[in-house]
């Protein structure tokens, strides 16, 4: 309809469980202060190793949200 | 043995559950009309956000299959 | 709603006018045989030179469309 | 003269008209809250298709601006 | 002259002899069902190893062809 | 027919009007001293911002031309 | 504290279950002969298809570990 | 321990002295308003030339910092 | 069958004859100390010039091999 | 010994025979006007198709040569 | 003001001291024959090793300069 | 002369001083167990931040060395 404008920010979520959970943690935290989040893109997957096992998955995502009035 | 020829096509699967399920949905749909699928490569992982949560995971895969007689 | 599956194909449109027109030519031609085209991504912009001017713009796009029943 | 510091943010502008208009929409919206914007870089060009035509061009740009006193 | 539209598909040719032969095998197979093939681009070169030697060269190429009437 | 050899050079054209005009300006200037220019490839699109608007589009292109006798 | 030196090696883990399990298999095997593994980076995700389903997920990871005395 | 969430922002530092000084200038400026900065990644190194010498080094870095309570 | 784990190493082979011969030289040398080599990927092709001719082709390949018991 | 300065130029060689021959044709032509060519890097391999066969291989190489006195 | 056209060339500077010095050597040499050099971009950093130390840093830069009358 | 074969390994050096020192630390450590190191390539530059300053520079390099008899 109208010509929407979006902003993308880059967030890194972490989780001991896996990639999906790390992404959800990042999205959940971002949602505390951002309105109208629309989509995400996975940029990088890495993690820490502890005792020969994956200790934390770390997933970098770009999050896109609508720039409505009063939000920058 | 013989010199096989393969074709790669690009499909996007989606799923509310996660990356693996989105890939399986893409493969399952592709298998309805393609024979002899051999391998896949994940090209991109992204998704839609709804109410500050991942609504759908969208995973782009390239699927490689043998070009046998009668299939193009 | 449901878990959609999409296919992406790669098309090159050309036009003497410019990038947007080359993309539209590609989309228009693709639409003759593909249903439910949803989005496109510009992959490459190049062109031929004739007499020190741009003769044709050539734009490669990926076109994504829904894999519904009866379309592969 | 002095050693300037810049910040880059990533914005997606959209327009039914074309690439330049989508960029201008993104810049115009960003300028409502950012001072001293200096340059932009086109990162991605894509768009939605409606009825076998381009419905909206979506252009992702990085915008660079000076980090002066009082702006972060 | 006119504004041509092209399609690119991705094929993997293999050969025990070398890169050029693998490409030729891919092109030859593609030509059985595609008309008006114009150009190719080498995307990836890899292969299988057997007994410490190259068993098969596997070369991925994109093949561009004209979308004329009746061919998609 | 014969085995042509080409050289590619990288030029940046600028224009206040848009991408196509910036490319045409680059090609026009290159043509003053280069013969037999054949094709171009868009490498990068960026620009300067002035007063919250695009002041100049800056487009980097690679230009390919035939290396005939007497031209290097 | 001190200036650590790390080495990165590239390993491919596979699993019929999913991406995380394939990574864990790779890390577990690497840990049999490498001490002080610190982090990993996912480089590539692909897999084999069997009977129109994912047979094995194959995930390439780079593993970083400290080069202490006596380990190369 | 806990599942940290990080944000990455992109800053360009400049300096007439060299790459390290340009990075330090960027980090120092960012630290005026950001708490808990953890790491940086060099994305691009370029600069201005004046009188056939490097006038300013311009280094783009991504800076990662912890998203704690009250900081976005 | 079982969940194989592979390691990839990067080798540069050289040859005055051509690309395939340079790859074979690299594979042959690697096979002196590595067992169960499975596949290779060509990463880079370059070479030295001597007297306006190619003196040596230098081809960088990644070689993948099975990590069986007793081999790291 | 001394601090050499090199220049890289980009040339496209073509040949009906294969990749190595196309590179040699490019190098041979460049050597007519450039002294002290040291190395080359293969950037792109593509070609024209004629009658379902490779008509010409087109290989883009970067050629590096020493900038000695009197050569630019 | 006016619509400037720039050319980019690729130069490799070397130095036993470090990255900045290698860049300066490249710029200094280029300035002997090029007027109006405006900016540079670092493309690649590598070097030779001698006796387990860096013998020479080799830095590839792209140099942009204005194409004024009489300079190509 | 002969057809040399090289191996590349990936090492991360760190230093509080700067990029060159981090590379030298990596090379120095690698030289304790590797003979005939020939060249290096900088792959990534990043680092840790402590108290709003760069605590350690971390530089990833690929190191190439000759595979002579008795060294793998």
């Amino acid at each position: 309809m109208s010509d929407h404008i979006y902003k993308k920010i880059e967030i890194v979520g972490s989780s001991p469980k896996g990639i999906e959970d790390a992404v959800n943690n990042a999205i959940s935290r971002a949602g505390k202060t951002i309105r109208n989040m629309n989509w995400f893109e996975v940029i990088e997957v890495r993690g820490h190793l502890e005792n020969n096992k994956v200790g934390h998955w770390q997933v970098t995502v770009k999050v896109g949200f609508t720039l409505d009035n009063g939000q920058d």
Side-chain angles (χ1 to χ4, degrees), chain A residues 9-26:
Chain A
I9 60 169
E10 201 164 343
I11 310 178
V12 185
S14 66
S15 161
K17 294 180 190 164
I19 297 172
E20 282 87 349
D21 196 53
V23 172
N24 276 320
N25 287 346

PDB file of all heavy atoms in Angstrom, chain A residues 9-26:
ATOM      1  N   ILE A   9      18.863  -4.008  12.173  1.00  0.00           N
ATOM      2  CA  ILE A   9      19.933  -3.984  13.161  1.00  0.00           C
ATOM      3  C   ILE A   9      20.497  -5.392  13.313  1.00  0.00           C
ATOM      4  O   ILE A   9      19.856  -6.378  12.936  1.00  0.00           O
ATOM      5  CB  ILE A   9      19.454  -3.468  14.533  1.00  0.00           C
ATOM      6  CG1 ILE A   9      18.332  -4.361  15.076  1.00  0.00           C
ATOM      7  CG2 ILE A   9      18.992  -2.018  14.429  1.00  0.00           C
ATOM      8  CD1 ILE A   9      18.006  -4.053  16.527  1.00  0.00           C
ATOM      9  N   GLU A  10      21.720  -5.458  13.834  1.00  0.00           N
ATOM     10  CA  GLU A  10      22.429  -6.736  13.909  1.00  0.00           C
ATOM     11  C   GLU A  10      22.559  -7.143  15.379  1.00  0.00           C
ATOM     12  O   GLU A  10      23.131  -6.409  16.185  1.00  0.00           O
ATOM     13  CB  GLU A  10      23.815  -6.568  13.253  1.00  0.00           C
ATOM     14  CG  GLU A  10      24.438  -7.859  12.818  1.00  0.00           C
ATOM     15  CD  GLU A  10      25.597  -7.629  11.848  1.00  0.00           C
ATOM     16  OE1 GLU A  10      25.696  -6.517  11.283  1.00  0.00           O
ATOM     17  OE2 GLU A  10      26.415  -8.548  11.685  1.00  0.00           O
ATOM     18  N   ILE A  11      22.021  -8.315  15.722  1.00  0.00           N
ATOM     19  CA  ILE A  11      22.025  -8.796  17.101  1.00  0.00           C
ATOM     20  C   ILE A  11      22.628 -10.201  17.150  1.00  0.00           C
ATOM     21  O   ILE A  11      22.505 -10.968  16.203  1.00  0.00           O
ATOM     22  CB  ILE A  11      20.593  -8.859  17.673  1.00  0.00           C
ATOM     23  CG1 ILE A  11      19.862  -7.539  17.425  1.00  0.00           C
ATOM     24  CG2 ILE A  11      20.624  -9.133  19.168  1.00  0.00           C
ATOM     25  CD1 ILE A  11      18.426  -7.569  17.926  1.00  0.00           C
ATOM     26  N   VAL A  12      23.302 -10.509  18.250  1.00  0.00           N
ATOM     27  CA  VAL A  12      23.858 -11.850  18.446  1.00  0.00           C
ATOM     28  C   VAL A  12      23.157 -12.487  19.628  1.00  0.00           C
ATOM     29  O   VAL A  12      23.259 -12.007  20.760  1.00  0.00           O
ATOM     30  CB  VAL A  12      25.374 -11.794  18.727  1.00  0.00           C
ATOM     31  CG1 VAL A  12      25.953 -13.209  18.796  1.00  0.00           C
ATOM     32  CG2 VAL A  12      26.092 -10.959  17.684  1.00  0.00           C
ATOM     33  N   GLY A  13      22.441 -13.569  19.360  1.00  0.00           N
ATOM     34  CA  GLY A  13      21.809 -14.321  20.437  1.00  0.00           C
ATOM     35  C   GLY A  13      22.639 -15.544  20.775  1.00  0.00           C
ATOM     36  O   GLY A  13      23.326 -16.085  19.913  1.00  0.00           O
ATOM     37  N   SER A  14      22.584 -15.985  22.023  1.00  0.00           N
ATOM     38  CA  SER A  14      23.336 -17.183  22.394  1.00  0.00           C
ATOM     39  C   SER A  14      22.434 -18.128  23.185  1.00  0.00           C
ATOM     40  O   SER A  14      21.446 -17.707  23.783  1.00  0.00           O
ATOM     41  CB  SER A  14      24.571 -16.819  23.208  1.00  0.00           C
ATOM     42  OG  SER A  14      24.219 -16.277  24.449  1.00  0.00           O
ATOM     43  N   SER A  15      22.790 -19.403  23.118  1.00  0.00           N
ATOM     44  CA  SER A  15      21.995 -20.412  23.823  1.00  0.00           C
ATOM     45  C   SER A  15      22.808 -21.691  23.927  1.00  0.00           C
ATOM     46  O   SER A  15      23.530 -22.054  22.997  1.00  0.00           O
ATOM     47  CB  SER A  15      20.706 -20.705  23.043  1.00  0.00           C
ATOM     48  OG  SER A  15      20.144 -21.944  23.440  1.00  0.00           O
ATOM     49  N   PRO A  16      22.676 -22.408  25.030  1.00  0.00           N
ATOM     50  CA  PRO A  16      23.340 -23.717  25.112  1.00  0.00           C
ATOM     51  C   PRO A  16      22.579 -24.791  24.341  1.00  0.00           C
ATOM     52  O   PRO A  16      23.108 -25.878  24.117  1.00  0.00           O
ATOM     53  CB  PRO A  16      23.330 -24.013  26.615  1.00  0.00           C
ATOM     54  CG  PRO A  16      22.189 -23.232  27.159  1.00  0.00           C
ATOM     55  CD  PRO A  16      22.064 -22.002  26.292  1.00  0.00           C
ATOM     56  N   LYS A  17      21.361 -24.499  23.903  1.00  0.00           N
ATOM     57  CA  LYS A  17      20.529 -25.548  23.298  1.00  0.00           C
ATOM     58  C   LYS A  17      20.741 -25.726  21.799  1.00  0.00           C
ATOM     59  O   LYS A  17      20.835 -26.850  21.309  1.00  0.00           O
ATOM     60  CB  LYS A  17      19.053 -25.228  23.555  1.00  0.00           C
ATOM     61  CG  LYS A  17      18.652 -25.294  25.029  1.00  0.00           C
ATOM     62  CD  LYS A  17      17.190 -24.958  25.199  1.00  0.00           C
ATOM     63  CE  LYS A  17      16.850 -24.791  26.690  1.00  0.00           C
ATOM     64  NZ  LYS A  17      15.563 -24.098  26.880  1.00  0.00           N
ATOM     65  N   GLY A  18      20.785 -24.600  21.061  1.00  0.00           N
ATOM     66  CA  GLY A  18      20.918 -24.782  19.618  1.00  0.00           C
ATOM     67  C   GLY A  18      20.696 -23.483  18.878  1.00  0.00           C
ATOM     68  O   GLY A  18      20.518 -22.413  19.477  1.00  0.00           O
ATOM     69  N   ILE A  19      20.685 -23.589  17.554  1.00  0.00           N
ATOM     70  CA  ILE A  19      20.619 -22.403  16.700  1.00  0.00           C
ATOM     71  C   ILE A  19      19.266 -21.711  16.825  1.00  0.00           C
ATOM     72  O   ILE A  19      19.185 -20.499  17.006  1.00  0.00           O
ATOM     73  CB  ILE A  19      20.885 -22.817  15.234  1.00  0.00           C
ATOM     74  CG1 ILE A  19      22.308 -23.382  15.106  1.00  0.00           C
ATOM     75  CG2 ILE A  19      20.695 -21.636  14.302  1.00  0.00           C
ATOM     76  CD1 ILE A  19      22.613 -24.004  13.758  1.00  0.00           C
ATOM     77  N   GLU A  20      18.191 -22.465  16.743  1.00  0.00           N
ATOM     78  CA  GLU A  20      16.858 -21.852  16.813  1.00  0.00           C
ATOM     79  C   GLU A  20      16.672 -21.126  18.145  1.00  0.00           C
ATOM     80  O   GLU A  20      16.115 -20.021  18.200  1.00  0.00           O
ATOM     81  CB  GLU A  20      15.756 -22.910  16.631  1.00  0.00           C
ATOM     82  CG  GLU A  20      15.536 -23.335  15.196  1.00  0.00           C
ATOM     83  CD  GLU A  20      16.470 -24.474  14.799  1.00  0.00           C
ATOM     84  OE1 GLU A  20      17.417 -24.775  15.559  1.00  0.00           O
ATOM     85  OE2 GLU A  20      16.240 -25.082  13.738  1.00  0.00           O
ATOM     86  N   ASP A  21      17.104 -21.737  19.232  1.00  0.00           N
ATOM     87  CA  ASP A  21      16.919 -21.109  20.541  1.00  0.00           C
ATOM     88  C   ASP A  21      17.757 -19.832  20.665  1.00  0.00           C
ATOM     89  O   ASP A  21      17.303 -18.849  21.269  1.00  0.00           O
ATOM     90  CB  ASP A  21      17.304 -22.103  21.650  1.00  0.00           C
ATOM     91  CG  ASP A  21      16.775 -21.678  23.006  1.00  0.00           C
ATOM     92  OD1 ASP A  21      15.557 -21.421  23.107  1.00  0.00           O
ATOM     93  OD2 ASP A  21      17.566 -21.592  23.967  1.00  0.00           O
ATOM     94  N   ALA A  22      18.941 -19.840  20.082  1.00  0.00           N
ATOM     95  CA  ALA A  22      19.769 -18.628  20.129  1.00  0.00           C
ATOM     96  C   ALA A  22      19.094 -17.494  19.360  1.00  0.00           C
ATOM     97  O   ALA A  22      19.126 -16.332  19.792  1.00  0.00           O
ATOM     98  CB  ALA A  22      21.163 -18.918  19.557  1.00  0.00           C
ATOM     99  N   VAL A  23      18.495 -17.824  18.219  1.00  0.00           N
ATOM    100  CA  VAL A  23      17.784 -16.802  17.447  1.00  0.00           C
ATOM    101  C   VAL A  23      16.590 -16.285  18.240  1.00  0.00           C
ATOM    102  O   VAL A  23      16.365 -15.071  18.346  1.00  0.00           O
ATOM    103  CB  VAL A  23      17.316 -17.367  16.088  1.00  0.00           C
ATOM    104  CG1 VAL A  23      16.411 -16.372  15.371  1.00  0.00           C
ATOM    105  CG2 VAL A  23      18.523 -17.702  15.220  1.00  0.00           C
ATOM    106  N   ASN A  24      15.833 -17.196  18.837  1.00  0.00           N
ATOM    107  CA  ASN A  24      14.668 -16.758  19.612  1.00  0.00           C
ATOM    108  C   ASN A  24      15.067 -15.862  20.787  1.00  0.00           C
ATOM    109  O   ASN A  24      14.373 -14.896  21.094  1.00  0.00           O
ATOM    110  CB  ASN A  24      13.901 -17.982  20.124  1.00  0.00           C
ATOM    111  CG  ASN A  24      12.946 -18.526  19.070  1.00  0.00           C
ATOM    112  OD1 ASN A  24      12.293 -17.762  18.368  1.00  0.00           O
ATOM    113  ND2 ASN A  24      12.873 -19.844  18.957  1.00  0.00           N
ATOM    114  N   ASN A  25      16.178 -16.180  21.426  1.00  0.00           N
ATOM    115  CA  ASN A  25      16.642 -15.327  22.520  1.00  0.00           C
ATOM    116  C   ASN A  25      16.978 -13.922  22.023  1.00  0.00           C
ATOM    117  O   ASN A  25      16.685 -12.926  22.688  1.00  0.00           O
ATOM    118  CB  ASN A  25      17.871 -15.945  23.196  1.00  0.00           C
ATOM    119  CG  ASN A  25      17.505 -17.148  24.042  1.00  0.00           C
ATOM    120  OD1 ASN A  25      16.329 -17.374  24.339  1.00  0.00           O
ATOM    121  ND2 ASN A  25      18.504 -17.933  24.433  1.00  0.00           N
ATOM    122  N   ALA A  26      17.611 -13.855  20.868  1.00  0.00           N
ATOM    123  CA  ALA A  26      17.954 -12.537  20.306  1.00  0.00           C
ATOM    124  C   ALA A  26      16.692 -11.742  19.965  1.00  0.00           C
ATOM    125  O   ALA A  26      16.584 -10.557  20.274  1.00  0.00           O
ATOM    126  CB  ALA A  26      18.830 -12.711  19.065  1.00  0.00           C
TER     127      ALA A  26
END
